[in-house]
Amino acid sequence: MKPLGIYVVVFAAMVASGLADTRKPYTVPMPYAPLPEYPAEARAKHWTGSGLFMIHADVDNGTVNGVNTVRSTGHSILDKAAETALYRWKFPHGVLTMMIPVMFTENGVQISYGAGAKKKK
């Protein structure tokens, strides 16, 4: 009976964590947010991919002081291009972290700005 109790507790925790974060993505006005360059080598080889990057910003001046790859695009050259561009971004005052989805497609680069921004309280 003990293992069943553990499964029930784990299942309840998973359900509770899924319901706890009900934030919806929203757009944050960005002072400066250049798109990543699509590397010529990757474009020539028709490499595409979708990645997710966590930005860590200075809440006072909006400069980026950290970029972490949460989910790779599948190609290190594309990940590096995204990281390089994201380090140049400027955020509005008060933004601490933000998840940025980046897609490299045959048609170019697409970014969803402001997905899940966390502001300093």
Side-chain angles (χ1 to χ4, degrees), residues 12-95:
M14 289 179 2
V15 169
S17 69
L19 297 174
D21 190 10
T22 58
R23 291 177 299 158
K24 293 182 180 166
Y26 60 94
T27 302
V28 173
M30 299 296 292
Y32 184 69
L35 285 174
E37 292 183 26
Y38 205 134
E41 176 187 355
R43 189 179 288 275
K45 294 179 179 179
H46 303 285
W47 288 348
T48 61
S50 179
L52 186 63
F53 301 86
M54 172 69 84
I55 305 294
H56 304 278
D58 184 299
V59 295
D60 295 324
N61 63 23
T63 59
V64 175
N65 34 358
V67 177
N68 296 98
T69 302
V70 176
R71 185 184 67 235
S72 173
T73 61
H75 302 281
S76 62
I77 192 169
L78 297 179
D79 292 342
K80 185 68 175 165
E83 290 172 8
T84 300
L86 294 172
Y87 266 107
R88 296 190 338 241
W89 282 25
K90 287 280 194 184
F91 286 88
H93 177 78
V95 172

Side-chain angles (χ1 to χ4, degrees), residues 2-19:
K2 208 173 200 179
L4 178 61
I6 292 172
Y7 288 119
V8 170
V9 170
V10 169
F11 178 75
M14 289 179 2
V15 169
S17 69
L19 297 174

Side-chain angles (χ1 to χ4, degrees), residues 94-105:
V95 172
L96 181 60
T97 62
M98 187 180 296
M99 297 289 275
I100 306 292
V102 179
M103 288 177 40
F104 290 87
T105 69

